[in-house]
Amino acid sequence: MYHELLRDATFWAFLFRIDQGLAEESRAERCPACGCHLHGANYPRKPRGPRGLPAEYRYRLSFCCARDGCRKRVTPPSVRFLGRKVYLGAVVILVSAMRQGPTPRRVRELRELFGVSRRTIYRWRDFWNEHFPKTTFWQLARARLVPVFEIVDFPRSLLEAFVGAGDDRDGWKKLLCFLSPITTTKGLVIEVSDDRDRSAEDARRRF
Ligand SMILES: [Zn+2]
């Protein structure tokens, strides 16, 4: 089952190492405004969901420009944190996906499994149904995914397409890396520009 993996502390450590790699890439690119080097300036976080999360989950990796007068904030994409949601990306995807499909899990069952409020579950549903398909990220991404598999429901179709068995870490890595552009500062409203095209290109390479 998919949800067994989310109880495994080594899975969360695995995702943290991927985030470290993404952060190193951002740091190597230096400040996008002035080209100066970047300092660590992590955001404190209090993610909810699984118990026994590694201590590294108390912050999201982030940087700011080292130059006085610039100090531009650079937050790398993440496979752990989906935007500003207090739940981890994998939990948001999994809980939402478990409500879809031929034998949907009831809200009560999911609340018992993950301790997520009813209202939160409905908010996630609206996010996947209404908001996500309209993002420029998805508009760009769908062109290369749709010929490969059929999109029926978000996020279930994505989960099934990327993640084979329940403990397929590599599949989770691919899925979360694929979605990681939507976790950056500009959030889910992603405008089409050269920069964003490059993000989509990066996602495709990781995909
Ligand atoms: Zn700068």
Side-chain angles (χ1 to χ4, degrees):
M1 293 301 290
Y2 286 122
H3 61 266
E4 289 301 325
L5 189 60
L6 269 54
R7 291 189 177 136
D8 182 347
T10 66
F11 175 64
W12 299 108
F14 166 74
L15 295 185
F16 175 66
R17 287 196 299 277
I18 298 170
D19 265 13
Q20 282 181 304
L22 293 170
E24 278 313 308
E25 286 176 29
S26 290
R27 188 169 209 164
E29 287 179 12
R30 305 171 74 94
C31 173
C34 73
C36 191
H37 64 276
L38 300 172
H39 278 172
N42 297 333
Y43 284 117
R45 302 301 295 265
K46 286 184 185 166
R48 290 190 214 148
R51 293 198 191 96
L53 282 173
E56 292 82 9
Y57 277 72
R58 291 192 206 124
Y59 55 87
R60 173 161 180 176
L61 299 170
S62 185
F63 302 104
C64 84
C65 176
R67 191 174 67 81
D68 274 337
C70 179
R71 300 287 180 202
K72 185 176 171 59
R73 171 67 77 164
V74 175
T75 300
S78 170
V79 297
R80 300 183 297 155
F81 299 106
L82 190 64
R84 292 183 181 171
K85 294 188 190 308
V86 293
Y87 286 91
L88 300 164
V91 175
V92 177
I93 292 168
L94 188 62
V95 170
S96 305
M98 286 169 83
R99 291 203 64 226
Q100 301 169 319
T103 52
R105 297 290 188 104
R106 290 174 196 283
V107 168
R108 196 180 60 195
E109 214 179 319
L110 293 172
R111 293 182 57 195
E112 281 165 13
L113 267 175
F114 295 99
V116 184
S117 77
R118 179 182 299 269
R119 184 188 281 188
T120 298
I121 290 176
Y122 289 138
R123 227 181 21 238
W124 293 349
R125 179 195 60 189
D126 292 345
F127 162 73
W128 289 109
N129 286 351
E130 287 160 33
H131 198 97
F132 180 78
K134 292 182 192 148
T135 58
T136 305
F137 166 78
W138 177 246
Q139 299 298 324
L140 291 169
R142 67 173 299 163
R144 63 181 189 275
L145 288 183
V146 168
V148 184
F149 62 88
E150 194 187 355
I151 302 294
V152 184
D153 284 312
F154 291 112
R156 184 175 68 99
S157 296
L158 292 172
L159 186 67
E160 289 177 350
F162 283 87
V163 183
D167 59 351
D168 177 10
R169 288 176 191 225
D170 195 48
W172 272 104
K173 176 184 172 181
K174 283 180 184 157
L175 173 58
L176 293 166
C177 282
F178 170 73
L179 290 172
S180 68
I182 69 176
T183 68
T184 53
T185 324
K186 287 182 182 169
L188 291 154
V189 185
I190 300 171
E191 292 159 29
V192 182
S193 71
D194 290 347
D195 265 355
R196 289 298 108 189
D197 283 344
R198 211 186 42 184
S199 293
E201 186 58 42
D202 286 346
R204 177 161 45 198
R205 260 192 274 125
R206 290 188 199 111
F207 169 53

